[in-house]
Amino acid sequence: MAQGDVASTGVKRPPVPAGQAGAGRPPKAAATRRSGGSELTRAKIRSAVLFLLPMMIVLALVAGWPLGRTIYFAFTNATLNDINNYEFIGFDNFYNSEWGGLLKDPQWWNAVWNTIWFATISVTLETVLGLIVALALNMRFPGRGIVRAAVLIPWAIPTIVSAQMWGWMLHDQFGVINAMLLGIGIISQPIAWTANPDTAMLAVVMVDVWKTTPFMALLILAGLQMLPSDCYESARVDGIAPWKVFFRVTLPLVYPAIAVAVIFRALDALRIFDLIYVLTSNSADTMSMSVYARQQLVDFQDVGYGSAASTALFLIIALLTVVYIIAGKVDLSGEKS
Amino acid sequence: MTHWSLPSKIGFYVLLLAIAVFALFPFYYAIVSSFKSGAELFTVDLLPSWNFENYFAVFREQPFARNILNSIIVATVVVAISLCLAVTASFALARVNFRGRGLLLLTVLSVSMFPQVAVLSGMFELIRGLGLYNSLGGLMLANLILTLPFTVWVLTTFMRQLPKELEEAAYVDGATPLEIVTKVFLPVLWPALVTTGLLAFIAAWNEFLFALTFTLSNEMRTVPVAIALITGGSQYELPWGNIMAASVIVTVPLIILVLIFQRKIIGGLTAGAVKG
């Protein structure tokens, strides 16, 4: 953000002459460009620049600079053991005729597919379950506070801890899940949940749904609690079926809250790392894009290629976000409300 | 609910019970397992015994106390820096109209949303260049990318909700913007600061990718990495009792904090995500 942009701005709010505050708004024409605005307004904007500067410098240092360097590294053959010694190789990390590059790596496409599959399934499940939990918690019943507190607990547990807890519960020989399923006779022999290619992704989804449904539920609950109660009263008096009320009134009204919650969760799901890394390690069956990029970067010491994967992940996420915001008409900045 | 029929009431309570069991059972089972040792671990049992051996073993067999201290230091410093920078920045973003404000807010938001792995190699180079590899300072620097955009965003939402009269009266009395932030807004805002700080603390406490990549030795690890990398006597045998004990140790304080600040946390999360 350029400083000049801030300094030369036309001011939206009309100046308030001292002593007249609250005595109605002066005409808008008073705020002409550059010369316009009272001493106070200009002082406000000057200090706003000063107020923002430290935050912007730190953000540029810890986010802007590293992101720029990562994108730059994507076009080099840098390695981890000698990160200062590299050559510029153009698009070779992405595509080349010799060994193919990222775009021809089946492992990478497997990771892309895994990530998108995981994000779609888990966010869908979390939204549906979260909506059910939110609707239940929106009722008045004795002990509501306790149930709401209980629902918050999975959210409060660190991802690593939930991964280990579930890793133990899903243990092939001594896990409680297998014991329960064997007990009620659903399965006849223990399942190696996290090691078996057919069930490993299922296990990851299960843990993620357990951990983040509460977050979803609370965000939707907050949306539900802002709905006007009078239309429910009249719907009840008119004897309209509850499911009709839900689909015709509740769902449309709570849609903005759900839309924002979904995008927050989806962005989280698309960059998933911890849960998969701990639960199933570097297994190719469940490898996400983040796990793939870090493996290239750290385990295989290939900074250039790993950065190319990171950059690709960044682009995919940015693209999906823009498409979602435009298609879903999501008001993220909250400025319009 | 008063007008509900009996079957739907029963159905509703069954649903609530299912929700509660689903939410609580895994952590309960971790607690039960943390008290078991040796062969006991390999029998499924739903009631706890009171054997603290695993809890001692965690501290004896690895520098777990040091790991906890590392996590506390890193998270506290990062949250303190983030809050200091965010208070003035969010005042400017919430209370002063300038062109480009919406764009700046979206930039801050997008930083909090982009994948951590996208800055990994650049951050690695930066941390090495500053001589901060395998040190808590390096983790602090890296974690700012998680906490700073988040605190700015949430505090901006809180600041926007405060009434206009609050600052106008002070401007009339000739206060400078800095005085307004420190003397008018800060006193009203401290509950929001506590909430935001707590949420940022949890985020920094749970951070895994940076801590895994930018530290090398056991002594410099933070709690999540330490728990993820606990190993047993042989590579075929994971000490599940120790892992569960360590998990319970780091989770119980968080759960207590979350339950105490329950209402505020829900408010903060909603302010951060949903603007209705």
Side-chain angles (χ1 to χ4, degrees):
Chain A
M1 180 78 17
Q3 265 186 66
D5 189 33
V6 175
S8 69
T9 183
V11 190
K12 270 195 225 148
R13 187 189 297 171
V16 182
Q20 273 188 26
R25 289 170 168 244
K28 215 172 182 168
T32 48
R33 265 178 156 253
R34 250 170 227 287
S35 57
S38 66
E39 187 57 39
L40 176 62
T41 319
R42 261 177 283 147
K44 264 185 173 177
I45 290 176
R46 259 201 313 276
S47 56
V49 175
L50 283 178
F51 282 176
L52 286 166
L53 217 51
M55 183 271 286
M56 282 155 68
I57 292 172
V58 173
L59 222 48
L61 178 77
V62 300
W65 172 261
L67 179 65
R69 289 300 286 177
T70 300
I71 295 172
Y72 176 77
F73 277 135
F75 298 98
T76 69
N77 61 1
T79 58
L80 201 62
N81 48 24
D82 192 6
I83 206 170
N84 297 316
N85 205 355
Y86 51 80
E87 281 167 43
F88 193 77
I89 57 166
F91 282 91
D92 274 14
N93 284 325
F94 294 95
Y95 186 81
N96 64 63
S97 48
E98 249 172 83
W99 52 276
L102 193 66
L103 291 174
K104 284 211 139 178
D105 184 354
Q107 278 256 43
W108 162 253
W109 288 111
N110 179 39
V112 173
W113 168 245
N114 278 347
T115 313
I116 291 177
W117 194 88
F118 164 80
T120 314
I121 303 283
S122 62
V123 174
T124 308
L125 281 174
E126 284 154 24
T127 310
V128 174
L129 292 177
L131 191 58
I132 294 172
V133 174
L135 287 170
L137 288 180
N138 200 32
M139 298 286 174
R140 255 179 260 274
F141 59 88
R144 179 162 74 159
I146 297 170
V147 182
R148 196 160 65 172
V151 162
L152 248 159
I153 284 178
W155 174 82
I157 295 177
T159 311
I160 296 304
V161 170
S162 10
Q164 294 282 38
M165 274 167 29
W166 280 86
W168 171 230
M169 286 171 50
L170 294 168
H171 195 279
D172 50 351
Q173 292 169 63
F174 313 115
V176 66
I177 307 259
N178 276 334
M180 282 176 175
L181 293 178
L182 283 171
I184 32 179
I186 291 181
I187 54 174
S188 55
Q189 53 183 342
I191 298 175
W193 291 97
T194 56
N196 186 334
D198 300 330
T199 52
M201 198 41 124
L202 206 67
V204 173
V205 169
M206 187 153 59
V207 183
D208 194 68
V209 166
W210 173 77
K211 168 137 180 67
T212 39
T213 297
F215 176 77
M216 210 61 160
L218 291 176
L219 292 186
I220 298 174
L221 180 63
L224 283 176
Q225 287 180 338
M226 277 184 282
L227 301 186
S229 60
D230 45 350
C231 51
Y232 289 99
E233 279 303 310
S234 52
R236 197 162 64 82
V237 172
D238 293 349
I240 296 170
W243 62 269
K244 259 191 188 163
V245 176
F246 174 75
F247 282 107
R248 300 259 172 87
V249 182
T250 311
L251 212 50
L253 281 175
V254 88
Y255 167 75
I258 296 180
V260 177
V262 164
I263 193 169
F264 271 72
R265 270 305 306 143
L267 289 175
D268 248 5
L270 287 171
R271 62 186 174 189
I272 183 171
F273 176 79
D274 335 19
L275 186 59
I276 289 183
Y277 184 85
V278 175
L279 205 59
T280 61
S281 189
N282 278 337
S283 150
D285 302 325
T286 52
M287 185 174 284
S288 70
M289 288 188 270
S290 285
V291 175
Y292 177 89
R294 188 190 178 274
Q295 188 187 41
Q296 299 295 336
L297 205 78
V298 180
D299 300 345
F300 303 157
Q301 310 263 310
D302 196 340
V303 172
Y305 188 65
S307 299
S310 305
T311 306
L313 166 61
F314 178 75
L315 287 177
I316 291 174
I317 290 188
L319 192 74
L320 290 176
T321 312
V322 170
V323 168
Y324 180 85
I325 289 178
I326 293 172
K329 296 195 180 74
V330 184
D331 175 22
L332 273 179
S333 67
E335 293 244 295
K336 284 172 219 139
S337 51
Chain B
M1 262 188 73
T2 39
H3 52 279
W4 283 19
S5 63
L6 189 66
S8 32
K9 262 189 190 175
I10 293 173
F12 182 68
Y13 278 103
V14 170
L15 174 69
L16 288 180
L17 190 70
I19 293 173
V21 170
F22 181 61
L24 295 179
F25 179 75
F27 191 58
Y28 172 77
Y29 192 68
I31 296 175
V32 172
S33 304
S34 71
F35 288 117
K36 294 181 180 177
S37 58
E40 273 177 3
L41 263 172
F42 305 128
T43 56
V44 173
D45 209 335
L46 293 183
L47 289 173
S49 54
W50 300 104
N51 175 357
F52 285 89
E53 174 46 32
N54 292 326
Y55 287 83
F56 298 123
V58 168
F59 288 96
R60 206 172 46 227
E61 287 162 20
Q62 55 239 4
F64 199 59
R66 179 67 203 266
N67 300 143
I68 293 177
L69 188 67
N70 288 345
S71 277
I72 293 176
I73 294 173
V74 171
T76 310
V77 171
V78 165
V79 169
I81 296 174
S82 301
L83 283 181
C84 285
L85 294 172
V87 166
T88 54
S90 60
F91 174 81
L93 286 169
R95 313 299 297 197
V96 183
N97 276 304
F98 56 86
R99 200 162 54 169
R101 180 172 74 161
L103 188 66
L104 188 54
L105 263 170
L106 278 181
T107 310
V108 169
L109 183 67
S110 60
V111 172
S112 73
M113 286 179 165
F114 73 60
Q116 262 176 285
V117 82
V119 295
L120 205 62
S121 44
M123 188 72 87
F124 192 91
E125 188 203 23
L126 180 69
I127 284 177
R128 255 204 195 166
L130 295 171
L132 293 173
Y133 184 64
N134 198 30
S135 78
L136 298 187
L139 291 187
M140 289 170 193
L141 187 77
N143 282 356
L144 278 174
I145 198 181
L146 295 178
T147 54
L148 186 57
F150 172 78
T151 46
V152 170
W153 181 262
V154 178
L155 283 182
T156 302
T157 317
F158 276 120
M159 282 231 196
R160 229 188 248 152
Q161 292 161 354
L162 298 176
K164 224 179 188 173
E165 291 73 29
L166 203 66
E167 58 188 306
E168 275 174 358
Y171 277 128
V172 171
D173 291 340
T176 64
L178 188 64
E179 283 173 327
I180 293 188
V181 174
T182 53
K183 292 185 181 155
V184 181
F185 276 81
L186 217 47
V188 216
L189 215 63
W190 75 263
L193 285 179
V194 172
T195 312
T196 318
L198 184 65
L199 289 170
F201 187 90
I202 293 178
W205 181 270
N206 294 347
E207 199 289 319
F208 180 67
L209 179 59
F210 291 151
L212 178 72
T213 310
F214 302 146
T215 59
L216 204 57
S217 56
N218 271 339
E219 281 68 32
M220 283 299 150
R221 280 177 189 155
T222 54
V223 154
V225 185
I227 291 182
L229 300 183
I230 286 180
T231 47
S234 81
Q235 65 176 110
Y236 300 105
E237 177 196 6
L238 277 179
W240 285 107
N242 288 12
I243 295 174
M244 290 302 120
S247 299
V248 172
I249 293 169
V250 302
T251 306
V252 165
L254 282 189
I255 288 185
I256 292 173
L257 277 177
V258 165
L259 292 185
I260 293 174
F261 290 98
Q262 200 204 128
R263 280 179 182 283
K264 288 185 176 302
I265 282 181
I266 296 175
L269 281 177
T270 349
V274 186
K275 273 288 291 163

